[in-house]
């Protein structure tokens, strides 16, 4: 155990205890810990961006383009450089308007990638998979009895349809001014609530399991550190 | 400026979208996305500068809790310059900053959720005793039971039958419904941006 | 000058413009009868007639008419248009201008001609300027001029007299009429207005949200839970108990993941994506370790899609992959934009490794220039959203060249990744510590982190079941009682 491990272990031990102290209630130690954490995380992320994004993508490519690149290479690096400069104007409140140009580019790019991904990667394959549950040949290929597959497929299809109906918020207005959904949709949506409830319950169980694992891991590291210290002294 | 930003968003959006369907447009897509990679990095850096300015303002105005802001700025500047000088993957950075500060604080905060989540779930039915609430609690309890084991092995029925059936069939239906709903929502949002109906970058 | 104008532009030019030929006959609309015309308008007409009857100015030798030489600023059309305008005026407006008629003008408001002739002789004025001059006193309604004859002594108007009338001379000559402000509406319009009012009132009135009074925080329960779970963790971990058996019944997605891992040939290039927060490092490392331990001497290439991911990958490699060789491409920014770009052309998007050395010429990536040349993709994530993006953005390339795609997932993300496994878009999933423990079972218990945690985890889960069902039922009954008490009180 070298000195770096001791410093790291000691810091980890202290900060774990400080955060754990929140169970007693909000206190200055907890607050200081949180602010130190935010500062360290932000500074660390900044240095990662400098070394792993800006250096290889802007600096290295820029140098290569200027000293030995073609005109196209130089243009290809000039444009993002210009965009980066415009984004930096966001720091100044007077010139922040110029940052809208690269931000518009990012929003447009994000929208395009979202559309392409959602359509080709989720919507079509997921709908196809819901239908394929009723394909006996595919069931045979998976070595599962056709009836079992179709029974499960029916439950899944029912869950998908009713869950989607739950998110259907079209409504009509009654004579007394209150809003109500169309009768059939209301019934389907009610069933959808059960499926959504089950899914949210599963997600909750997952989050709890992840939190419990993190809780155990922290205590494990505390015990390990104490054991190591005892071993040293 | 409003027209120009809309033209930029729509034109580049369509060019990138074409890359999904036309192999000839793939190279343009890659070039444009490479620019986006750089710009998002710079935008993140601007966000960090903004965080620092906000906290420095707090310190300058001696607001309540400005001592915490001073600590934040100090640690942030030190970490940033240490990272820039040493590189973020340096052993010292990894051991002190990641293993010593970031990881234990984040992990313990996550660990505290164990108590908070269970506390909230126990008391949920006191306020909300509808069908969804009851189904939610029962599902969570069943999956807790199915995830654990006993000294002699899996919990009978729950671990071997009910848990797999719930996660792979029942919850799958709802999850797929949510996924398709999310995909539809993002698709519509993306199309609204490409049609210029939504302009989150500024302008109406 | 008018001859220079093209025909289409002449046609577009207004009739009363300064480009009109002087001797061109102007078609006037029929004038209203004298009985219908108020006196003051008649005065305007007289003034216009005087100007119209003035002798014509000589035309230039070329026969062209200079527009600036002779054309009056106000053409005779002015009067006729004015009379048309006022002939069509509604009664209420006609009444409003009545007080200015000459019959009502008081003697005190008798106009006096301006006395600035000294500055410029009338004969020196060009005709168009004369036309702009105030017209003869007889033709102008007297009330339009003020009786104030103050000589301006300073400023731009110095030397002029009576240019700006003083306020005292400007007195109303009659009491303004009062007009009814009652809106003339039909019954149908009133009915519509009432409906609109009702709609607006319904929008503005707050709708009470049905809710029970908020629960007071139960500090006792929170303390009880905290102490209970802390004790469980401390006791089981410090004593290193191994009472509870690891799970045995592997679900389909874990079995598929094992099958894929075992089927990967020796020395194959693998892309490993690290996309998890440091808060889940303990869980993710415990799950991933047995999976990587099962791999047969792979060539690992790491990529991170969150900022701390690259360093977490280094940490994982130092802890669980000691002795293995790997290449770390570092952090890929841009979220789904970056992922899409990397999938399209990894050599352009991630040209160097974490140490700034060229990545794609290294031995680890020998023969690999595109993503479909990896033997498999392993995504280690705690985020269902990240898994969705990776599945979506690699879908196109994987549908052309099928590449096994394994997701090592935190327990919290697993339920939302399940649909992608069922649709065949993901080859296998290792969900949470449960999945990690299953992998460890099938890997002769190596490296063993899941085993260390498992007793605390199992006891914690069992306690959670008891507390959730018992406490939930207790609170359900309490809630029912409270609600019945509230209803009884009402």
């Amino acid at each position: 155990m070298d000195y770096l491990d001791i410093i790291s272990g000691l810091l980890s031990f202290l900060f774990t205890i400080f955060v754990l102290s929140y169970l007693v209630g909000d206190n200055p130690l907890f607050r200081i810990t949180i602010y130190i954490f935010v500062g360290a995380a932000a500074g660390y992320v900044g240095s990662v961006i400098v070394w792993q994004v800006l250096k290889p993508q802007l600096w290295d490519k820029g140098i290569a383009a200027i000293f030995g690149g073609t005109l196209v290479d130089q243009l290809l690096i000039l444009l993002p450089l210009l965009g980066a400069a415009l984004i930096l104007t966001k720091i100044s409140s007077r010139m922040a308007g110029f940052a809208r140009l690269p931000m518009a580019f990012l929003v447009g790019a994000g929208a395009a990638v979202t559309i392409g991904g959602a359509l080709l990667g989720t919507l079509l394959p997921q709908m196809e998979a819901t239908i394929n549950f009723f394909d006996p040949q595919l069931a045979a290929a998976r070595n599962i009895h056709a009836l079992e597959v179709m029974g499960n497929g029916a439950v899944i299809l029912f869950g998908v349809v009713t869950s989607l109906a739950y998110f259907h918020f079209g409504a009509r207005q009654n004579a007394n001014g209150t809003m109500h959904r169309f009768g059939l949709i209301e019934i389907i949506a009610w069933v959808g609530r059960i499926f959504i409830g089950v899914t949210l319950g599963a997600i909750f169980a997952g989050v709890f399991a992840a939190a419990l694992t993190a809780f155990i891991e922290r205590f494990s590291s505390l015990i390990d550190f104490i054991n190591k210290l005892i071993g040293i002294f | 400026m409003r027209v120009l930003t809309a033209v930029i968003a729509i034109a580049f959006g369509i060019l990138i979208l074409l890359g999904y369907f036309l192999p000839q447009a793939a190279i343009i897509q890659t070039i444009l996305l490479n620019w986006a990679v750089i710009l998002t990095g710079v935008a993140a850096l601007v966000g960090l500068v903004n965080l620092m300015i906000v906290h420095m303002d707090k310190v300058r105005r001696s607001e309540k809790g400005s001592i915490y802001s001073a600590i934040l700025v100090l640690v942030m500047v030190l970490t940033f310059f240490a990272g820039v000088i040493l590189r973020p993957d340096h052993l010292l950075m990894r051991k002190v900053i990641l293993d010593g500060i970031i990881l234990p604080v984040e992990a313990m905060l996550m660990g505290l959720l164990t108590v908070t989540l269970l506390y909230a779930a126990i008391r949920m039915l006191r306020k909300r005793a509808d069908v969804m609430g009851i189904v939610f609690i029962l599902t969570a309890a069943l999956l807790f039971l199915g995830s654990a084991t006993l000294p002699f092995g899996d919990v009978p029925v729950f671990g071997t039958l009910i848990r797999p059936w719930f996660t792979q069939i029942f919850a799958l239906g709802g999850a797929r419904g949510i996924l398709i709903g999310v995909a539809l929502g993002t698709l519509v949002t993306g199309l609204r941006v490409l049609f210029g109906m939504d302009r989150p970058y500024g302008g109406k | 000058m008018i001859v220079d104008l093209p025909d289409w532009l002449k046609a577009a030019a207004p009739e009363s413009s300064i480009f009109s030929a002087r001797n061109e006959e102007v078609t006037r609309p029929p004038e209203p009868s004298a009985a219908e015309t108020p006196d003051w308008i008649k005065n305007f007409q007289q003034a216009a007639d005087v100007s119209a009857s003035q002798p014509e100015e000589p035309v230039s030798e070329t026969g062209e008419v200079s527009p600036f030489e002779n054309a009056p600023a106000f053409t005779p059309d002015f009067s006729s248009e004015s009379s048309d305008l006022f002939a069509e005026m509604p009664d209420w407006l006609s009444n409003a201008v009545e007080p200015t008629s000459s019959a009502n003008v008081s003697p005190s408001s008798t106009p006096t001609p301006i006395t600035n002739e000294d500055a410029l002789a009338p004969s020196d004025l060009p005709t168009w300027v004369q036309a702009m001059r105030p017209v003869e006193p007889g033709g102008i309604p007297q009330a339009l001029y003020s009786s104030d004859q103050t000589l301006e002594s300073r400023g731009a108007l110095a030397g002029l007299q009576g240019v700006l009338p003083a306020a005292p001379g400007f007195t109303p000559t009659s009491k303004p009429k009062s007009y009814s402000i009652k809106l003339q509406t039909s019954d149908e319009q009133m009915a519509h207005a009432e409906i609109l009012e009702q709609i607006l009132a319904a929008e503005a009135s707050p709708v009470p949200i049905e809710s029970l009074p908020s629960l007071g925080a139960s500090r006792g329960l929170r303390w009880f839970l905290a102490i209970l779970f802390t004790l469980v963790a401390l006791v089981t971990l410090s004593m290193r108990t191994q009472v509870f058996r690891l799970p045995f019944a592997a679900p389909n997605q874990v079995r598929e993941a094992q099958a894929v891992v075992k089927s990967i040939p020796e020395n194959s290039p693998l892309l490993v994506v690290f996309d998890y927060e440091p808060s889940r490092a303990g869980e993710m490392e415990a799950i991933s370790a047995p999976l990587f331990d099962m791999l047969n001497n792979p060539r690992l290439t790491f990529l991170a899609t969150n900022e701390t991911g690259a360093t977490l990958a280094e940490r994982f490699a130092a802890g669980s992959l000691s002795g293995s060789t790997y290449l770390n491409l570092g952090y890929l920014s841009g979220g789904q934009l970056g992922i899409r770009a990397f999938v399209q052309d990894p050599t352009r998007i991630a040209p160097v490794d974490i140490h700034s050395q060229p990545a794609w010429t290294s031995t680890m990536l020998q023969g690999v220039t595109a993503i479909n040349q990896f033997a498999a993709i392993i995504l280690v994530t705690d985020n269902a959203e990240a898994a969705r993006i990776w599945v979506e953005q690699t879908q196109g390339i994987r549908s052309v060249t099928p590449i096994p795609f394994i997701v090592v997932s935190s327990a919290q993300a697993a339920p939302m990744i399940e649909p992608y496994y069922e649709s065949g878009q993901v080859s296998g999933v290792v969900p949470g510590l449960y999945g990690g423990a299953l992998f460890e079972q099938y890997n002769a218990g190596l490296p063993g982190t899941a085993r260390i945690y498992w007793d605390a985890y199992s006891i914690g889960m069992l306690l959670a079941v008891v507390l959730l069902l018992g406490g939930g039922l207790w609170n359900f009954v309490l809630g029912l009682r409270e609600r019945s008490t509230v209803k009884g009180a009402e």
Side-chain angles (χ1 to χ4, degrees), chain C residues 325-446:
Chain C
T325 51
Y326 60 90
L327 180 83
N328 193 343
L329 293 177
Y331 166 57
L332 174 66
S333 78
Q336 61 179 346
L337 302 174
I339 292 169
R340 177 66 193 176
F342 182 83
V343 168
Q344 289 286 89
D345 189 354
T347 56
R348 173 191 280 270
I349 303 302
V352 294
D353 69 1
I354 199 169
H355 308 295
S356 300
Q357 298 302 313
W360 300 88
T361 50
S362 70
T363 51
M364 299 303 292
L365 282 171
Q366 204 170 24
V368 179
T369 52
I371 198 164
N372 55 6
Q373 288 168 334
F374 285 105
I377 301 172
I378 300 173
L379 171 64
V380 188
T381 184
D382 63 346
N383 189 346
E385 182 74 9
R388 183 177 69 82
I389 290 169
W390 270 99
V391 170
E392 283 180 349
Q393 301 303 334
T394 55
Q395 179 67 24
I397 205 156
R398 286 190 296 117
S399 60
V400 178
T401 315
I403 316 161
F405 190 104
I406 299 169
V407 181
V408 179
S409 147
S410 163
Q412 65 180 20
M416 295 307 289
I417 297 172
E418 190 72 28
Y420 290 110
Y421 165 72
E422 288 294 334
S423 66
Q425 292 171 278
V426 168
S427 314
V429 184
V430 189
L433 194 67
Y434 185 87
L438 280 168
F439 246 89
E440 218 169 270
Q441 278 273 73
Y442 293 99
N443 191 35
L446 293 170

Side-chain angles (χ1 to χ4, degrees), chain A residues 23-24 44-45 52 57 61 109 113-114 117 120-122 125-126 129 142 206 209-210 215-217 219-220 223, chain C residues 219 229-230 237 282-283 307 311 331 336-337 348-349 354 392-393 395 411-412 419-420 422-423 425 453 457 461:
Chain A
L23 283 174
V24 183
Y44 189 75
V45 166
Q52 293 174 24
Q57 297 289 347
K61 284 184 182 176
V113 173
T114 302
L120 302 175
T122 294
Q126 288 301 312
R142 285 180 144 192
F215 191 81
I216 294 165
E217 186 271 333
F219 278 98
S220 175
I223 291 166
Chain C
R219 186 177 283 259
F229 279 90
T230 305
L237 290 168
E283 183 189 17
E307 292 85 349
T311 316
Y331 166 57
Q336 61 179 346
L337 302 174
R348 173 191 280 270
I349 303 302
I354 199 169
E392 283 180 349
Q393 301 303 334
Q395 179 67 24
Q412 65 180 20
Y420 290 110
E422 288 294 334
S423 66
Q425 292 171 278
Y453 295 168
Y457 180 83
M461 281 296 187

Side-chain angles (χ1 to χ4, degrees), chain B residues 16 19-20 26-27 29-31 33-34 36-38 40-41 44 87-90 93-94 98-99 102-103 106-107 110 114-115 118-119 121-129 134 137-138 140-155 159-160 163-164 167-169 171-172 174-176 178-179 182-183 186, chain C residues 212-219 221-222 225-226 229 243-249 251-253 277-281 308 311-312 314-315 318 332-334 337-338 340-341 344-345 348-349 354-356 388 393 412 415-416 418-420 422-423 434 454 457-458 461-462 464-465 467-469 471-473 475-476 478-479 482-483:
Chain B
I16 290 169
Y20 281 91
I27 181 69
Q29 188 192 53
T30 309
I31 291 169
L33 290 177
N34 193 10
V37 167
I38 298 168
T40 46
R87 300 177 72 106
D89 51 299
H90 192 274
M93 292 296 288
R94 182 160 69 77
L98 189 78
D99 291 354
I102 298 175
L103 196 149
E106 269 197 39
M110 180 76 189
T114 310
V115 175
L118 194 57
Y119 173 82
I122 287 171
R123 288 165 64 90
M124 196 185 95
L125 289 181
R126 191 160 172 181
K127 284 181 75 175
R128 182 178 174 168
I134 292 167
I137 293 294
L138 284 178
L142 283 175
L143 294 183
F144 286 168
L145 197 55
S147 301
T149 57
L150 297 169
F152 51 82
D154 291 315
V155 179
T160 52
R163 182 183 188 273
T167 53
Q168 289 168 35
I169 306 295
L172 177 68
R176 185 167 282 167
I178 292 171
L179 271 183
V182 169
T186 51
Chain C
L212 291 169
S214 61
L215 291 172
S218 172
R219 186 177 283 259
L221 177 61
R222 200 183 301 167
L225 293 174
F229 279 90
V243 176
F244 289 77
R245 282 185 64 175
L246 289 177
F248 191 77
N252 292 337
Q253 62 266 47
E277 296 294 327
S279 59
R280 278 84 168 190
T308 47
T311 316
L312 286 171
E314 291 285 318
R315 176 189 143 99
L332 174 66
S333 78
L337 302 174
R340 177 66 193 176
Q344 289 286 89
D345 189 354
R348 173 191 280 270
I349 303 302
I354 199 169
H355 308 295
S356 300
R388 183 177 69 82
Q393 301 303 334
Q412 65 180 20
M416 295 307 289
E418 190 72 28
Y420 290 110
E422 288 294 334
S423 66
Y434 185 87
W454 191 254
Y457 180 83
S458 264
M461 281 296 187
L462 292 173
V465 175
L467 290 166
L468 193 60
L469 289 180
L473 189 64
N475 276 283
F476 180 68
L478 282 179
E482 281 171 4
R483 278 187 283 276

Side-chain angles (χ1 to χ4, degrees), chain A residues 112-166:
Chain A
V113 173
T114 302
I115 291 170
L119 189 67
L120 302 175
T122 294
L123 266 181
L124 297 179
Q126 288 301 312
M127 286 197 282
E128 194 184 339
T130 310
I131 295 163
N132 283 345
F133 253 106
F134 300 96
D135 187 346
Q137 287 178 339
L138 283 175
R142 285 180 144 192
N143 205 18
I144 309 170
H145 195 272
L147 271 179
E148 186 189 343
V149 171
M150 286 175 82
N152 290 341
V155 174
I156 291 170
L157 176 67
F158 196 57
V160 171
V161 172
T162 54
S163 303
L164 281 171
Y166 178 74

